Amino acid sequence: MFTALTASEAMFDLVRAVAENVGGTNMVTTVLEHPSAYDPMVLYADRLGKELRIARSNPVTGGVDVEEIIRLVDKDTCLLNVMFASNISGAIFDLEAIVAKARAIKPDLFILVDAVQHAPHGVMDLKKTPVDAITFAPYKFFGSRGSGIAWLSERMAVLPHHKLAAKPVRRAD
Ligand SMILES: Cc1ncc(COP(=O)(O)O)c(C=O)c1O
C-alpha cells in the first residue's frame, strides 16, 4: 500500500515511478481521465521525452472502447494509465478486456488504474484484472478527506521511489 494526502498525489508518484524507471518510448491514457491521472501523464511524458497517446471517448456510450485503447499500445509502451469508472459520464471501463489485450501485446506492460469512482461501488478482482496499482480515496465512501490510497503490485512496490537510503526497499512484515 502507498499512502498520500489525496488520490491525485498518489497517482503523480505512481506515474513518476513508472515513467522514470521502466523502458518504453510512449505512454498511453484516455481523454476521459480525471486530471489526477491525465496531468501526471502529460507532465512526465513531456519531462522524459516520451510520446503521449490519448484514446478518444465514444460519444454514444460515454466510455472509451477497448479497441480504441488497444490500438495505441505497442511493445514500446512504457505505461498504460486507464480509469475504472468515469466521474464525468459514469461509464464503466471493460478493464478485464483492456488488461488482457494490452498484455497480449506487451506481457510485462505496467498498468495503473484510477478507481476513485469505482471503488465505492464495485469489486476489483485482481485475478481478473492483474494491474500494477489502483488508486482510491476514502472520502468517496464515507471516509474523511485528507488521504489517498494506492494498492501496489509486488513489482510496482520495488520500483525506485522516495525513501531513506538505509531503509529496506520493502518494509519487513
Ligand atoms: C475519478 C477520480 N479520480 C481521481 C480523483 C481525485 O481524488 P482526490 O480528490 O483524492 O485527489 C477524483 C475526485 O473526484 C475522481 O473523481
Side-chain angles (χ1 to χ4, degrees):
M1 306 299 289
F2 175 76
T3 58
L5 295 179
T6 64
S8 303
E9 189 187 355
M11 184 59 93
F12 269 80
D13 269 327
L14 300 179
V15 172
R16 178 181 53 75
V18 178
E20 285 184 347
N21 297 295
V22 175
T25 54
N26 70 77
M27 294 161 56
V28 177
T29 193
T30 83
V31 73
L32 270 195
E33 300 305 309
H34 185 279
S36 129
Y38 193 91
D39 291 358
M41 293 294 281
V42 172
L43 178 73
Y44 285 102
D46 182 53
R47 187 172 289 177
L48 298 167
K50 296 182 192 284
E51 177 194 356
L52 182 61
R53 299 177 177 173
I54 301 165
R56 299 162 299 193
S57 60
N58 179 327
V60 176
T61 64
V64 180
D65 296 337
V66 173
E67 290 309 326
E68 168 64 12
I69 297 170
I70 297 308
R71 75 180 179 86
L72 301 178
V73 174
D74 58 29
K75 292 206 177 305
D76 289 322
T77 303
C78 156
L79 169 61
L80 170 61
N81 197 336
V82 59
M83 69 195 325
F84 212 140
S86 170
N87 56 304
I88 297 173
S89 67
I92 299 171
F93 286 48
D94 186 350
L95 203 57
E96 198 176 328
I98 293 167
V99 171
K101 290 187 175 190
R103 291 257 174 77
I105 296 167
K106 188 181 181 193
D108 61 350
L109 179 64
F110 272 78
I111 303 175
L112 306 182
V113 177
D114 167 0
V116 170
Q117 286 295 332
H118 184 74
H121 305 289
V123 172
M124 293 177 293
D125 185 341
L126 285 164
K127 290 202 173 73
K128 291 183 180 163
T129 56
V131 297
D132 288 287
I134 299 168
T135 56
F136 53 98
Y139 78 91
K140 297 291 190 191
F141 33 133
F142 309 115
S144 49
R145 281 191 175 270
S147 71
I149 317 281
W151 172 87
L152 309 180
S153 69
E154 294 285 327
R155 65 176 186 164
M156 184 75 206
V158 298
L159 282 180
H161 56 275
H162 295 161
K163 65 176 267 301
L164 300 182
K167 298 272 188 186
V169 174
R170 292 199 57 120
R171 182 181 65 84
D173 292 322

